[in-house]
Amino acid sequence: TNQVAARVKLPLLPPKARPSAHRLVRAAMTRSWRRVGGFAALALFGAVLVLMTPGAEAQRRAKRRRSTGTAIVSDRPIPDSLYQHLQMQDVRRQASKDLTATDSYKCSNCPLEKDGRPLSVRIMFVDAYPAVQNPTAQAAAAKLGIEYSCDNPELAVAECFDWKLWTEGWVGEFANTFLLQLNMNVTTLTRANFSAAVGEVYKGGSSYTRCVWEVRLGNVDLCVGDFWETEERRGISPFASAMDSDVLKLGTLSMGTSDAIRLDSIFDPFTPDVWALNCAMIMVSAFTLWLVETTTEMNSDYEDQLEEHVRLPWYKGMSKSLWLGAMGYVSGGAAHATTTWPGRFIALGFGWFVYISVSSYTANLASFMITSSTALGLISSYSDISDAAGNLCLLEAIETMVKTPGVGKVSYDDYIPAIEGLYQGKCLGVQVGRNEWKTIVRGGRGQATICVDPADTKGHSTCANPDGLVKKIEISGCQCKDTSKLDPLDCPEDCPDHRKYCGLLEIQDEAFAFYMNFALPVSTRIQDYVSAWIIGLRQEGAIQRMKSKYIDAVTPDVCGGAMEQESQSLGLKSMAGTFVISGAFMVTGLIWHFVTLFMRPKMDVKARGMFDVASPKDVEGEVAHSSPNANGHGETIKPLSQKNPDDVWGSKHPADLSTMQYDDLCGKLAEHQKLITQQSRVLERTERLITAQEGQLEQILNLLADLPNKAAAPPPAASKAPRLASYQADLKQARQSEMGGGGSFGMPMPANEDVASSRHNKTNSPISNLPDDIGRRPSSSAQNGQNENPLLGFLSGLGGQNR
């Protein structure tokens, strides 16, 4: 209390008036219990109100059920997870339709109307080989003797409008499978049933896009055919899940073959980027091998061949290593000599690279050499179209997808009219789907009509005027008028279009990369059911079985493969593994090399066992020195060459050695042999240096022996006397030092009075034969080249102006 009063600057209470501690605690507890009692009273009052509320008993029972694990779904549930939220959306969407709810969309005999009857739908079948076909309708038309066409209202037979008869084609049989399971009330339509309302909103010529508009307007619930799911069509109508994907190919007219000799054909097995990486790999491996192996004297690759035991300069060593790398690549094996383990690792990586690279090149070169001629086309790549400011013939559905600058676009409603546009010279290339290239172009199967009306120059399969003139193109199915000729190739006048498109050449170009999904336009009423069945059948492999049945098995390549132009050059993706593995070996070798350099000072101080004592460097076989043994007596330490076999092996019976001891001994012997080799090289260099010095000494001795024994010259002028006296004093002192120290060449010097006799004594140094005027300057005659002292010229060449 006093502390609080002091903080707020109040007067302190007298000691008797101050409240005791227990009074303060009791007062605080009284106030707390009053608050707790008030809250308890309020809670009790609220509980009474809840119990008196109608329906409280039902809520209590629901709470007890939830505690025991029984779920109760209220009229308006609150989702507490994304999954429950999505379930609620499905329930609301299903409730908004006039259909009965179902647990799974992949169901049989569904969907149903609200009254339980099968749902009534309208399905349009787009007749096109090899996607959708009606064999029963074809047989009926042949029986009636009329031309088969379910798309022409005047030629369509009754079998065209029975959905259960559209059972052939990779899309037709696939759709018939799930339509039989759904068992809906189907009204069958074909392109003969296009409505006039679609013609008001869509002015294009694609019947596929027109069917999509029919779904948008509610006239059709499902279109069955090989529809592309494009961005434009996605904005018009919903699509079911994708069935398959299509790869678009680029074709052009073949102009024949070229038999010209190509000098660069030997580089065809690899792409230019692979060749560049090969050169880089050779250079890197050559540099790393030089870096590792040039530090050891055991490798003779980097020694000068003209001068023994002389290392090459760095630029010559790198050049030779590069040459060895190139030789190893072209010869199919490593050409470098390696003496260190890091170098061996790098050589292993380079050898792996050479092995895979040479093998791949050889195998791929054989395929190029088989083809003796090269097919020529209007273009050789997609960029040639833009370079020539030409056009590309393509389908109208993907016209908006091609946005290449400089490439014009000529759109058509079907493939055969687009290919005919190429033959008519309207474009330099044509876009064809993968399935159609296999069936129409290479398989020689297909029929179509082309509008040739002068008033309609688009060249589509139908004319804008229904009464316009059309021409029929029969790639297959044509018959000769002469019944004795069964092969249409025998009557080109009757069947001019038979296998007409075998002259097309496929252009392999990564710049022309277009991929499309095959999907079915469908209304929202049955979208979930159709998508569920498509996903299930696709996972079972039904699509691949259908395509193999109706495309691969029945459409062989009738044109042959001679006109195909496929790039077989190996790229970086094919050779990436080789470069990675080789690079890993080289990096490992480099790391090993640098670690070895770092650890070398520490490794040199390690003990070497019985080879710690090396042989003397002066003369092999002499006693090196003596050291006291454990008994204090001197023990002579011999070099390895003077040791007895018992001293080397440590036993009188070498057979008692274990394998480990023997291997260790062999390793130490090899190491010692390496040291001996290095010392021998140093000794050879020392011997060469001594030999060179002996040659210089011999020249000096010969010059000294040829000096004339003449009398001393008259004294020079007075100005030169001090210098001459100084020279003579220095010479006398040098003679005395030679007499006392054995001479500059390690030989005793004679006395001055024995100079004359020492000339013929080979044991004494002839340097005493020097005349007293050796230190004089040369006279004018000597400067002019007359009577020049040869010894002075030789010494001045060796030591300059030094005496």
Side-chain angles (χ1 to χ4, degrees), residues 97-242:
K97 302 177 182 179
D98 295 333
L99 307 176
T100 58
T102 180
D103 296 334
S104 175
Y105 290 111
K106 188 182 177 182
C107 54
S108 299
N109 300 320
C110 60
L112 303 175
E113 299 284 0
K114 195 171 183 179
D115 56 1
R117 294 181 295 105
L119 183 66
S120 297
V121 295
R122 297 164 63 89
I123 300 178
M124 178 174 288
F125 292 86
V126 180
D127 188 5
Y129 175 83
V132 181
Q133 285 185 299
N134 189 334
T136 306
Q138 294 177 1
K143 186 177 180 179
L144 295 175
I146 61 175
E147 181 182 357
Y148 165 76
S149 176
C150 288
D151 298 333
N152 190 342
E154 299 178 357
L155 300 176
V157 295
E159 288 78 5
C160 294
F161 304 98
D162 186 355
W163 67 273
K164 294 182 179 180
L165 301 180
W166 292 89
T167 57
E168 290 190 0
W170 70 275
V171 179
E173 184 175 348
F174 180 78
N176 186 264
T177 302
F178 65 79
L179 289 177
L180 289 174
Q181 294 293 332
L182 293 175
N183 194 22
M184 298 179 293
N185 186 14
V186 178
T187 300
T188 307
L189 305 174
T190 65
R191 284 183 281 194
N193 303 110
F194 279 142
S195 62
V198 174
E200 297 177 0
V201 296
Y202 176 66
K203 304 298 182 180
S206 174
S207 59
Y208 289 84
T209 306
R210 191 168 184 176
C211 188
V212 176
W213 275 104
E214 293 283 1
V215 176
R216 170 67 180 272
L217 298 180
N219 300 328
V220 176
D221 292 297
L222 178 65
C223 294
V224 178
D226 51 346
F227 284 80
W228 282 338
E229 185 182 8
T230 63
E231 182 180 359
E232 177 188 1
R233 292 174 178 176
R234 261 290 187 177
I236 299 173
S237 167
F239 276 75
S241 297

Side-chain angles (χ1 to χ4, degrees), residues 21 212 229 233 268 347 386 392 507 522 663 665 669 707 746 761 769:
V212 176
E229 185 182 8
R233 292 174 178 176
D268 289 341
S386 58
L392 175 66
I507 303 299
V522 62
D663 294 341
L665 184 62
L669 287 173
L707 289 176
N761 190 357
N769 297 333

Side-chain angles (χ1 to χ4, degrees), residues 22 58 68 72 94 106 175 182 198 251 336 345 361 366 374 388 450 471 494 615 620 626 639 675 677 697 713 724:
H22 71 276
T68 58
I72 301 297
Q94 191 67 33
K106 188 182 177 182
L182 293 175
V198 174
H336 289 84
F345 248 77
Y361 175 84
T374 303
I450 297 178
K471 175 185 177 182
D494 298 333
S615 59
E620 178 67 25
S626 299
L675 294 176
T677 304
L697 179 60
L724 179 59

Side-chain angles (χ1 to χ4, degrees), residues 256-260 262 368-376 562-564:
T257 59
S258 174
D259 297 328
R262 292 178 53 241
F368 279 91
M369 296 179 66
I370 292 175
T371 305
S372 58
S373 59
T374 303
L376 300 177
M563 301 302 295
E564 292 288 338

